[in-house]
Amino acid sequence: MRRRLLALGATAVMLALAACSGGSSDTTSTSGSSESATLTLGEVSYPASFDVNGYSIAHYVTYFQAVYDTLVRQDGDGMLVPGLATDWAYDDARTTLTLTLREGVTFTDGTAFDADAVVANIKNFQASATPDLSNAQYIAEATATDATHVTITLTAPDPMLLTWMTGSLGFMASPASFTAADVATNPVGTGPYTLDTDQTVVGSKYVYTKNPDYWDDSYHVYDSLTINYYESPTALLNAIQGGQVDAATFSDVSSLTQVESAGYKVNTSQLDWMGLILFDRDGAVDPALGDVKVRQALNYAIDREGILKAIQLGYGTVTSSVFGPTTAGYDEALDTAYTYDPEKAKELLAEAGYADGFELTMPSSSLINQSLLTTIQQELADVGITVTYEDTGANFITDLLAGKYTSSWMQLASANDWQFAQLALVPNATFNPLGTQSAETDAMLATMQTGTDDEAAAAAQELNTYVTDNAWFVPMYRLDNMFVTKPTVEVTMAADNATPYLYLIQPAS
């Protein structure tokens, strides 16, 4: 699955990782008298492993970027900028990518960073069990042309390939470490820090020290970095109120007043949309959902503004579109394509032959806001649609992907057109378990994959309009991702990741 944990969205990640637990017992801030000498971060997740099988980004990104540089980076606007690769170019068919590598860089074990190391990392990634394995699904071959050039041959164009290289696929580890006995707990990269394994407590506190030979002096590297894991919002809030972290990922909107009272700034970005996915657009299981008027009625039945205010206290933006503002396919007008109009919903249901309503069964989980599910249930009942929830326990995501339900609440990321298409729109997409397909969408998707940048952008806009008009989803709002910082820290939020990239977290100037 493509960058699965990123794309699922924060709450869905919690559902997928519900079995994980742990906590930080550290109650002492590492921030010393020099405000730019140390940095302590608070996080809500921790990595299962530092080797390739554990690679991931989302809320894990700072753990990995501390030790592993990436081939490509992103700035705060999502634009690709040089990392360990200083330049890149595709051939006309967009199936051959040539990378030019930075010279004079070494891994912290003394191994040279060169084209052979890049090829070794790509092959190691392809042979791994990383959740992000599909990032490399189109790579047929990677070869070292010379010490500073790598040629990557693809089976088909991949519009996301360079973006994948800003994350898991781009993490560069020393090839000498691949077979080390401690590879899972002692990462070796070219990054700004090394992991202090003596001070680190796995599943609780991760301590890093500055790499004295780090190649990049374009941003500040702290003398030391500590990332504390907090197993609950309450534990994290207590740490913030005690001034024990300099910055942290934070999601409890009901506690933001307390966070701000403790002197922290709330920085926001928008990556995920929240709403319903209507899987059975062909009506194979639930015939009603096969009628576009019924799907449109579902959209008119939902009070997006009211739900956003009640559930998120207004932290977000109402939308009827699944393509976010950072995508080429975004159309601001589609944000208001469906307004709250229960009478319109009833009219559409009557026109479709469902004046007396119909029934839907949707999955539920204790990790989903129950007030939200109840509100959705009530508002659909108001127009004649009866929703029954089934508790899936720990199998919420598993049951969805198995096609057991025709509709469901979901939170998904939509910061990139092709990523979202691969996640939810193509016939074999992860969140298209019933395989909805049409000639129109097939043509648009083909252009997005193989066309020029302008052609792909135009096709993405057409696709956005199509899935909105045909009501494949019931988007409600885009949520605010929140990262809170002390006045001593300045952050640029990432365009496509819930947690800012480590190089975008800097001392306040």
Side-chain angles (χ1 to χ4, degrees):
M1 189 187 307
R2 290 176 164 272
R3 193 171 283 186
R4 181 170 179 177
L5 293 184
L6 164 64
L8 286 182
T11 305
V13 168
M14 292 174 62
L15 289 164
L17 302 180
C20 297
S21 64
S24 174
S25 59
D26 180 46
T27 57
T28 304
S29 172
T30 60
S31 298
S33 57
S34 175
E35 292 178 340
S36 64
T38 63
L39 178 68
T40 301
L41 302 178
E43 263 303 345
V44 295
S45 303
Y46 65 90
S49 168
F50 277 100
D51 75 348
V52 65
N53 295 301
Y55 285 1
S56 191
I57 56 169
H59 295 302
Y60 309 94
V61 69
T62 52
Y63 295 96
F64 287 102
Q65 286 184 336
V67 291
Y68 297 132
D69 281 317
T70 50
L71 290 170
V72 184
R73 291 177 179 169
Q74 291 188 50
D75 64 14
D77 295 322
M79 300 297 293
L80 301 176
V81 296
L84 289 174
T86 59
D87 197 12
W88 47 85
Y90 276 106
D91 67 347
D92 291 342
R94 302 177 72 85
T95 54
T96 301
L97 173 66
T98 301
L99 299 176
T100 301
L101 306 180
R102 193 174 299 277
E103 298 183 59
V105 177
T106 60
F107 293 98
T108 54
D109 64 359
T111 303
F113 169 77
D114 57 17
D116 287 335
V118 173
V119 171
N121 271 274
I122 291 174
K123 290 181 177 179
N124 193 44
F125 188 92
Q126 291 178 300
S128 76
T130 170
D132 291 341
L133 182 59
S134 62
N135 288 184
Q137 66 176 302
Y138 294 111
I139 296 179
E141 186 178 16
T143 57
T145 308
D146 56 39
T148 59
H149 292 87
V150 173
T151 300
I152 299 174
T153 304
L154 306 178
T155 58
D158 183 358
M160 282 294 293
L161 183 60
L162 287 168
T163 301
W164 298 142
M165 290 182 177
T166 68
S168 299
L169 181 59
F171 290 149
M172 291 291 108
S174 170
S177 71
F178 293 170
T179 57
D182 61 352
V183 63
T185 56
N186 188 20
V188 181
T190 64
Y193 302 92
T194 58
L195 183 67
D196 186 335
T197 56
D198 291 333
Q199 296 296 316
T200 292
V201 180
V202 174
S204 178
K205 179 175 71 172
Y206 296 78
V207 180
Y208 303 81
T209 57
K210 182 177 181 178
N211 176 4
D213 299 317
Y214 190 53
W215 58 270
D216 189 359
D217 60 2
S218 67
Y219 72 97
H220 181 79
V221 178
Y222 293 84
D223 290 337
S224 65
L225 166 69
T226 298
I227 305 177
N228 290 328
Y229 164 68
Y230 297 93
E231 67 176 352
S232 70
T234 300
L236 178 56
L237 177 61
N238 289 339
I240 289 171
Q241 290 181 305
Q244 297 166 18
V245 295
D246 298 308
T249 298
F250 198 79
S251 60
D252 182 8
V253 294
S254 65
S255 300
L256 286 179
T257 300
Q258 294 165 271
V259 171
E260 291 175 320
S261 295
Y264 288 76
K265 176 183 178 181
V266 179
N267 306 274
T268 63
S269 65
Q270 293 184 348
L271 172 66
D272 303 341
W273 63 267
M274 191 284 295
L276 302 178
I277 301 183
L278 308 179
F279 297 114
D280 194 12
R281 300 141 194 158
D282 296 325
V285 180
D286 276 328
L289 294 182
D291 193 313
V292 65
K293 290 184 178 180
V294 170
R295 301 195 301 270
Q296 291 171 339
L298 281 152
N299 273 275
Y300 283 114
I302 296 297
D303 181 5
R304 292 167 170 82
E305 291 277 3
I307 292 177
L308 176 62
K309 183 177 180 179
I311 304 300
Q312 286 294 118
L313 304 185
Y315 285 93
T317 302
V318 166
T319 187
S320 301
S321 168
V322 292
F323 283 71
T326 61
T327 66
Y330 177 68
D331 181 349
E332 186 177 2
L334 295 178
D335 281 339
T336 54
Y338 297 101
T339 56
Y340 180 46
D341 192 339
E343 293 307 312
K344 176 71 171 177
K346 291 177 183 178
E347 291 174 11
L348 287 167
L349 289 173
E351 291 173 14
Y354 294 94
D356 295 328
F358 65 98
E359 298 181 358
L360 287 174
T361 300
M362 296 187 188
S364 176
S365 167
S366 61
L367 292 177
I368 303 172
N369 187 306
Q370 296 302 299
S371 295
L372 170 63
L373 295 184
T374 299
T375 301
I376 293 171
Q377 185 180 47
Q378 182 59 57
E379 292 186 352
L380 293 181
D382 289 344
V383 301
I385 301 172
T386 301
V387 174
T388 300
Y389 289 118
E390 288 185 351
D391 187 356
T392 59
N395 296 319
F396 183 86
I397 296 296
T398 302
D399 287 351
L400 281 189
L401 303 190
K404 292 184 178 180
Y405 295 94
T406 60
S407 57
S408 175
W409 170 91
M410 183 44 64
Q411 179 179 326
L412 293 178
S414 59
N416 181 283
D417 305 273
W418 185 245
Q419 181 190 21
F420 181 71
Q422 291 285 291
L423 182 72
L425 300 177
V426 300
N428 63 345
T430 303
F431 285 93
N432 187 8
L434 299 183
T436 302
Q437 186 173 10
S438 73
E440 296 94 332
T441 57
D442 284 351
M444 297 169 199
L445 290 163
T447 302
M448 288 173 64
Q449 182 175 15
T450 63
T452 65
D453 289 345
D454 288 343
E455 290 169 342
Q461 291 171 359
E462 292 177 23
L463 184 61
N464 187 10
T465 300
Y466 181 92
V467 298
T468 303
D469 289 347
N470 285 276
W472 282 22
F473 306 87
V474 185
M476 298 179 189
Y477 48 80
R478 293 187 294 272
L479 298 94
D480 282 353
N481 294 312
M482 288 168 282
F483 192 77
V484 301
T485 53
K486 281 184 175 179
T488 54
V489 176
E490 185 172 306
V491 63
T492 300
M493 298 295 284
D496 75 337
N497 200 62
T499 297
Y501 296 121
L502 187 59
Y503 46 80
L504 298 179
I505 304 172
Q506 292 287 280
S509 57

